Amino acid sequence: MDSRRSLRTLVTTLLGTAGLLVAGCTGGGSTGSAQPSGASSVSAPAVPAGLTSYYAQRLKWRDCGVEGFQCATMKAPLDYAEPDGGAIDLAVSRKAATGPGKRIGSLLVNPGGPGGSAVEYLQDYAGIGYPEQVRARYDMVAVDPRGVARSAPVVCLTGPQMDRFTQVDQTPDDAAEITALNEAYRQFAQGCAKRSGKVLPHVSTVEAARDMDMLRALLGDERLNYVGASYGTFLGATYADLFPARVGRLVLDGAMDPSLDAAELNRDQTAGFETAFQAFAADCVKNADCPLGTASAADAAARLKRLFAELDAHPIGTGDTRELTESLATTGVIAAMYDESAWPQLREAVSAAQDGDGSGLLALSDSYYERRPSGSYANLMFANAAVNCLDQPPAFTDARAATRSVPDFEKASPVFGRSFAWAALNCADWPVRPTGTPHRVTAEGAAPIVVVGTTRDPATPYKWARSLAGQLSSGTLLTYEGDGHTAYGRGSDCVDTAINTYLLEGTPPARSKKCS
């Protein structure tokens, strides 16, 4: 949940794979979800006060311009505390159950972020790439969370401004570089306030979860069926805590831990990326073409740090107007840690950088930031900061605190620690006060919820999944012993079978089930 982002759609962008409404199905007219195994006996709440008109609206489905998908616009109150004070439009898309078999209901999907477009994830991957038997029984549905993509998107900087922001040195060596980094974060925050001041106080995860409950009702489902990845697990867990009686079949894959504060989340994620890098390095040194040597993983780490130091002193060309700086190179390496299938690409990019060509690492970095060939950016990083800085108090409030944290972060990751420590300063000057705090999520009375953790996940460390499964009163942990970010649909028949069985039959996997 930090500024470095934990996001399945990054994989979609990098690798062209997952990260990510037929006649007669109309808004409010579909059948209710099947009762899940072990469903809650808690009484379902009535429509929240003041929201009757929102829950009574009808979705007007139209063609999306993407074969097989329909789109609609859902209205939600800008401020749930003042539902009569104005509305925002949220983008929704669906692909109807294909059959055969009795339709179960709607299955909402969210790829994470915060800031990832759920609609794009649905149309590019989930609606066509989820297992056929799941797509046969569910209407596949997505809503871009408020502040994201097509749903009142937060905007902070222009393309050229964002280019400059991504190149700012995030491992400052002296007072001048610290001042420059502070100023970059300040200008980013001021840009968000200037361009998105109206929506900025209202993009919290709690509000997004309330939007999901409204959509559940408009789709005609008694309970929410949902697959959330990465930050999407925090969104799903928040929903379960708010509406335990409305929980259907929830899969939380690549889980976050809501009980941790921002500094703890950042340190844990730093250690997660170090674990992923060690796995990459151990694999790299087995290859004769490893640009980081063939001696050991420790030697590979030392060589990568040396490359970063050289780029800090002397950025290199990329064939673009931008040079490859240390910050951009670090981001490029981090990007490839999300999926082990990107490791060959990373080896080539590092090798090229050692020869003075920074284009490969720049391409990886651009994919992470969702920079378009035109030089403009998707709103991913803007929404990411806006949600994170609203959901929790800042990890650090000033440069002195960030400076003091560096040794702990470097202990967590000798390769990435310094960069991650300073990245955690991004919410210090945020123009909107946070509305959330760290808290345990129990969802008392909810139906069984499946929490999935990958043992060498860089962005959402495995211990977070263990913690969340333990917090949830009905949580069941499914462990994938492997590399990469998230587990469903990544090649493990064991994981996929367990989740498919749960989604189709309502039966969660055995407690503490492990897959490889």
Side-chain angles (χ1 to χ4, degrees), residues 123-149:
Q123 295 176 357
D124 292 346
Y125 173 65
I128 56 177
Y130 266 35
E132 183 177 359
Q133 62 268 41
V134 173
R135 292 182 285 116
R137 305 282 304 281
Y138 283 99
D139 291 345
M140 302 294 295
V141 180
V143 55
D144 279 345
R146 52 177 60 211
V148 174

Side-chain angles (χ1 to χ4, degrees), residues 1-2 6 233 254-258 260 264-270 451-453 458-471 477:
M1 233 171 73
D2 74 345
S6 53
T233 67
M256 296 203 52
D257 184 351
L260 300 179
E264 291 172 315
L265 286 168
N266 276 268
R267 277 194 298 270
D268 281 356
Q269 196 175 65
T270 303
V451 179
V452 188
T460 50
Y462 176 64
K463 72 177 189 178
W464 290 358
R466 289 204 314 264
S467 178
L468 180 59
Q471 292 172 46
L477 178 63

Side-chain angles (χ1 to χ4, degrees), residues 33-44 138 222-226 236-237 239-252 441-451 468-469 471-477 502-503 505-509 511:
S33 299
Q35 180 83 350
S37 174
S40 169
S41 60
V42 178
S43 298
Y138 283 99
E222 293 179 4
R223 293 174 175 80
L224 180 79
N225 303 307
Y226 173 84
Y239 179 90
D241 215 32
L242 290 171
F243 305 103
R246 296 297 192 190
V247 168
R249 300 169 187 178
L250 263 63
V251 177
L252 308 180
V441 171
T442 60
E444 291 290 342
I449 298 171
V450 175
V451 179
L468 180 59
Q471 292 172 46
L472 291 166
S473 63
S474 59
T476 295
L477 178 63
Y502 170 67
L503 290 175
E505 301 176 12
T507 304
R511 289 189 177 275

Side-chain angles (χ1 to χ4, degrees), residues 261-263 388-396 427 434-438:
D261 64 31
N388 285 335
C389 296
L390 196 58
D391 275 352
Q392 283 209 1
F396 307 126
C427 292
T435 57
T437 56

Side-chain angles (χ1 to χ4, degrees), residues 307 310-311 314-320 322-326 349-350 352-359 361:
L307 174 62
E310 291 169 355
L311 292 170
H314 302 289
I316 60 176
T318 62
D320 188 274
R322 295 167 296 154
E323 292 184 314
L324 182 71
T325 62
E326 178 192 15
V350 170
Q354 291 171 334
D355 291 335
D357 176 7
S359 59
L361 285 175

